[in-house]
Amino acid sequence: MNLYDGSYELKEIQRLEGHTDRVWGLAWNPTTGADGVPAVLASCSGDKTVRIWQQSPLTGSFECKAVLEETQTRTIRSCAWSPSGKLLATASFDATTAIWEHIGDDFECVSTLEGHENEVKSVSWNASGSLLASCGRDKSVWIWEVLPRNEFDCVSVLQGHTQDVKMVQWHPSMDVLFSCGYDNTIKVWAEDGDDDWSCVQTLGESNNGHSSTVWALSFNASGDKMVTCSDDLTIKIWGTDIIAMQSGDGNATWSHLCTLSGYHDRTIFSVHWSREGIIATGAADDAIRLFVENKDGLVDGPVCKLFLKKDKAHDMDVNSVQWSYSDNRLLASASDDGSVKIWKLTSLP
């Protein structure tokens, strides 16, 4: 299927009900959904629970397989699967990150990471699963080393943001960490020796950055482009020289490529770049938008263009959009309306 031929629709496949408060975050298990393994999706909520949804091989519909509860005492803001798919990290407003292990048909909390002063907002595993990052309202970013027997050791506490840090995200192929937040910046963190992490670049308003809170960021499959979304109602695309970055050149900086504006009229909370190259955004205007790379060959033309609009995707704010790892056309969304929706990008006849 060529994305540039014909028309498409984002078709609602299923609405997943069960959470009793707003749904904040979503995470597809990266080891599921292919080779006969049913797709698994985690969702986390203001109701202090995480729900594990599994796709039925027979009907194709998602069913709630487990509810992880009575461990974290406040809103669970973010969740992330380890690359092996065996561990799920959940970040909570109770200042903890819980680590859940899939044992048999059950999930057990095998570790609780403490250290943040207050709300933990986001968690992210690096590509090898050897490091976990967390961030929070205390303006700090923590890097944890994953040790045997579900032990986690804090190797660095990164101070640099001047406000609440909304999201942490590892680069898809290198141990370089990105964070964004309420101070309107994106920070790039790298190790410069023995577990000595430091900020190597700050993308702020002075270098074509955002003018308000940066809520989320995501990378394309090859890792040479990044997309960010903000309270300033814009989506920005950034690029780097990936070869220089991989060669360990500390000067491989990120630069602004283009700004997409006018597509949402309220805060853009979530952005995710599919492995096929489609960017999805979710916002407080209850809408989802899809963008693709611009192939019209104009030298100064925008890097990306609007591909599809889905108004009233939910009854309330869309807090998270996440493409499936295994099915490039499957998208999940989470909302203040308490629901999770599964969408399929399908071509119109």
Side-chain angles (χ1 to χ4, degrees):
M1 283 164 79
N2 187 335
L3 283 174
Y4 301 93
D5 300 334
S7 304
Y8 289 80
E9 68 169 335
L10 197 59
K11 192 174 176 193
E12 184 181 326
I13 301 293
Q14 199 180 347
R15 180 184 172 110
L16 309 181
E17 303 278 5
H19 283 295
T20 56
D21 200 327
R22 68 183 59 176
V23 187
W24 279 112
L26 296 167
W28 292 94
N29 186 315
T31 61
T32 66
D35 303 325
V37 180
V40 170
L41 176 72
S43 60
C44 58
S45 165
D47 66 10
K48 309 171 197 162
T49 73
V50 177
R51 285 181 171 258
I52 308 292
W53 310 88
Q54 187 176 54
Q55 192 171 23
S56 160
L58 296 172
T59 64
S61 63
F62 285 80
E63 296 156 6
C64 183
K65 285 293 183 191
V67 180
L68 316 187
E69 58 189 345
E70 293 174 359
T71 297
Q72 290 172 303
T73 57
R74 291 184 62 197
T75 288
I76 302 176
R77 180 64 180 83
S78 162
C79 55
W81 294 97
S82 63
S84 69
K86 290 186 170 59
L87 299 176
L88 180 70
T90 60
S92 171
F93 284 5
D94 70 4
T96 71
T97 298
I99 308 293
W100 303 82
E101 186 174 6
H102 193 190
I103 302 168
D105 282 341
D106 219 10
F107 285 84
E108 267 179 47
C109 179
V110 292
S111 198
T112 301
L113 313 186
E114 297 177 342
H116 283 285
E117 289 170 29
N118 40 41
E119 292 95 325
V120 188
K121 297 292 179 79
S122 172
V123 278
S124 175
W125 302 84
N126 69 341
S128 66
S130 62
L131 297 170
L132 179 72
S134 61
C135 66
R137 192 162 74 89
D138 62 8
K139 310 173 193 171
S140 71
V141 173
W142 289 53
I143 296 178
W144 308 82
E145 187 179 359
V146 185
L147 303 173
R149 295 183 294 281
N150 295 319
E151 295 279 326
F152 290 78
D153 182 29
C154 174
V155 291
S156 199
V157 177
L158 310 177
Q159 307 285 358
H161 282 286
T162 58
Q163 302 275 351
D164 184 352
V165 191
K166 296 292 187 193
M167 188 181 195
V168 278
Q169 186 69 46
W170 290 96
H171 185 271
S173 60
M174 281 171 288
D175 287 343
V176 178
L177 182 65
F178 294 71
S179 59
C180 61
Y182 205 72
D183 61 8
N184 312 349
T185 71
I186 301 120
K187 287 186 177 287
V188 188
W189 309 87
E191 198 181 355
D192 51 14
D194 311 324
D195 285 341
D196 205 8
W197 291 80
S198 62
C199 180
V200 294
Q201 193 180 6
T202 299
L203 303 172
E205 203 171 355
S206 60
N207 31 15
N208 296 312
H210 291 285
S211 59
S212 191
T213 300
V214 187
W215 279 92
L217 64 99
S218 179
F219 296 93
N220 66 347
S222 54
D224 65 339
K225 290 193 183 77
M226 169 175 67
V227 59
T228 56
C229 65
S230 167
D231 199 38
D232 66 11
L233 312 186
T234 71
I235 300 135
K236 289 179 183 281
I237 314 284
W238 309 81
T240 193
D241 178 345
I242 193 75
I243 306 299
M245 194 176 168
Q246 284 166 341
S247 69
D249 178 1
N251 302 320
T253 55
W254 290 77
S255 55
H256 173 264
L257 298 178
C258 80
T259 298
L260 301 166
S261 57
Y263 297 106
H264 286 285
D265 50 25
R266 290 186 64 195
T267 300
I268 307 165
F269 288 127
S270 182
V271 64
H272 195 224
W273 210 323
S274 83
R275 298 203 298 189
E276 193 182 21
I278 308 173
I279 295 171
T281 56
D285 56 9
D286 314 342
I288 292 171
R289 298 280 183 263
L290 303 184
F291 301 86
V292 290
E293 288 205 47
N294 208 357
K295 301 281 191 192
D296 59 17
L298 294 175
V299 177
D300 291 327
V303 179
C304 291
K305 63 178 181 183
L306 183 69
F307 176 62
L308 194 147
K309 288 159 54 160
K310 188 73 192 181
D311 290 319
K312 298 185 176 62
H314 281 271
D315 298 332
M316 295 169 76
D317 296 12
V318 181
N319 294 318
S320 181
V321 283
Q322 288 287 313
W323 292 103
S324 159
Y325 286 92
S326 53
D327 182 344
N328 286 329
R329 300 293 166 92
L330 208 58
L331 180 75
S333 61
S335 169
D336 275 4
D337 65 17
S339 76
V340 172
K341 286 187 178 183
I342 309 291
W343 307 85
K344 184 87 176 178
L345 183 62
T346 54
S347 53
L348 292 168

